[in-house]
Amino acid sequence: MDIRVLLREAGITPSPVMKLDKEKLHHFDLSKHNKALDNVDLNDEQAFTQYIFNELKTNNCTAGIGGYGEERSLYSRSTLFNDEEPRTIHLGIDVWTAAGAAVFAPLDGIVHSFANRNVHGDYGPVIILEHSIEKHVFHTLYGHLSTDSLDGLSIGQEVKKGQEFARIGEYHENFHWPPHLHFQVIIDMQGMIGDYPGVCKKSESNFYLKNCVDPSKFI
């Protein structure tokens, strides 16, 4: 499924997931190839947080963005991503900005599922929306939200295009990440509820990058 073609043929323009000042938007490179990260102890949560927000301040930016398809080494700080072959390929886009920033639905949809993934390095509060366009179904995932974003939610609940439905969580809510939104577009949820991998093994990246398409159309 080519979601860009699907939207164009249906005459649908998504609403931005976040209201960002494009003139004050920093593009982050958090790949393992960024030598600037060699000077940051990525296993030190405070040092990583300081790096993110120092970069925003230095560049006079209010938000940072990037990460789709990046091969990252920063996940080594959490056992969640470590296996015989670690997960290193990032499947969504991160928007780094102040906690409390509003998150908006890009399209009409329903709540597919939600959860509080309260494990070190995981999403913390996460919401997954389901969208249908001309009988084609796909999903959007929003991780690292505020805990109260889950209040009152129910499976199948309607969400309208442009509706504010969540906020970015504080550090203690999003399980030890600097405040940011992890945004991901997923074609097939593969039966998963309230969760879907946001990072995959390099050996499995061909499948996952086809199933989790570039979400930049929605930012």
Side-chain angles (χ1 to χ4, degrees):
M1 180 195 306
D2 189 326
I3 292 176
R4 290 175 183 258
V5 172
L6 182 64
L7 293 170
R8 183 172 66 247
E9 291 181 347
I12 298 173
T13 301
S15 290
V17 168
M18 297 194 72
K19 294 181 178 178
L20 302 173
D21 182 347
K22 299 299 177 68
E23 299 298 317
K24 293 189 174 183
L25 187 61
H26 179 63
H27 289 267
F28 274 102
D29 176 4
L30 297 179
S31 74
K32 69 174 189 177
H33 306 293
N34 183 359
K35 297 302 181 183
L37 294 178
D38 292 347
N39 301 316
V40 181
D41 182 357
L42 297 176
N43 291 306
D44 183 326
E45 296 165 0
Q46 185 175 358
F48 182 44
T49 299
Q50 187 174 11
Y51 170 78
I52 291 292
F53 287 98
N54 278 351
E55 284 289 294
L56 295 181
K57 184 177 180 180
T58 299
N59 290 282
N60 192 31
C61 290
T62 54
I65 194 169
Y68 177 71
E70 274 186 345
E71 185 175 3
R72 296 175 168 179
S73 58
L74 57 89
Y75 300 110
S76 62
R77 69 198 188 93
S78 172
T79 57
L80 181 68
F81 302 97
N82 293 328
D83 204 336
E84 185 174 342
E85 180 190 354
R87 291 192 285 146
T88 58
I89 306 298
H90 192 246
L91 300 173
I93 282 181
D94 290 326
V95 181
W96 308 87
T97 193
V103 180
F104 302 87
L107 301 162
D108 291 346
I110 61 172
V111 175
H112 170 275
S113 53
F114 56 93
N116 191 349
R117 308 288 304 174
N118 55 350
V119 176
H120 180 260
D122 210 329
Y123 290 127
V126 57
I127 297 173
I128 300 168
L129 302 182
E130 180 177 302
H131 311 280
S132 299
I133 298 176
E134 298 179 353
K135 299 183 180 179
H136 294 282
V137 176
F138 62 96
H139 307 81
T140 51
L141 180 150
Y142 310 80
H144 308 292
L145 304 175
S146 63
T147 305
D148 61 11
S149 295
L150 306 183
D151 291 349
L153 280 188
S154 59
I155 304 300
Q157 180 177 329
E158 186 177 62
V159 179
K160 303 300 290 182
K161 174 181 173 181
Q163 176 184 335
E164 178 183 337
F165 71 96
R167 295 182 299 110
I168 290 179
E170 298 279 356
Y171 180 85
H172 69 279
E173 294 176 294
N174 67 43
F175 282 82
H176 306 282
W177 292 100
H180 73 290
L181 173 71
H182 173 93
F183 174 63
Q184 189 168 331
V185 177
I186 306 162
I187 296 173
D188 180 3
M189 285 293 297
Q190 299 181 273
M192 298 191 73
I193 301 293
D195 190 25
Y196 194 86
V199 184
C200 74
K201 298 176 181 179
K202 191 173 183 178
S203 64
E204 299 174 339
S205 61
N206 187 51
F207 166 78
Y208 277 104
L209 290 172
K210 287 180 179 177
N211 195 45
C212 302
V213 297
D214 186 349
S216 57
K217 175 75 174 177
F218 300 89
I219 297 294

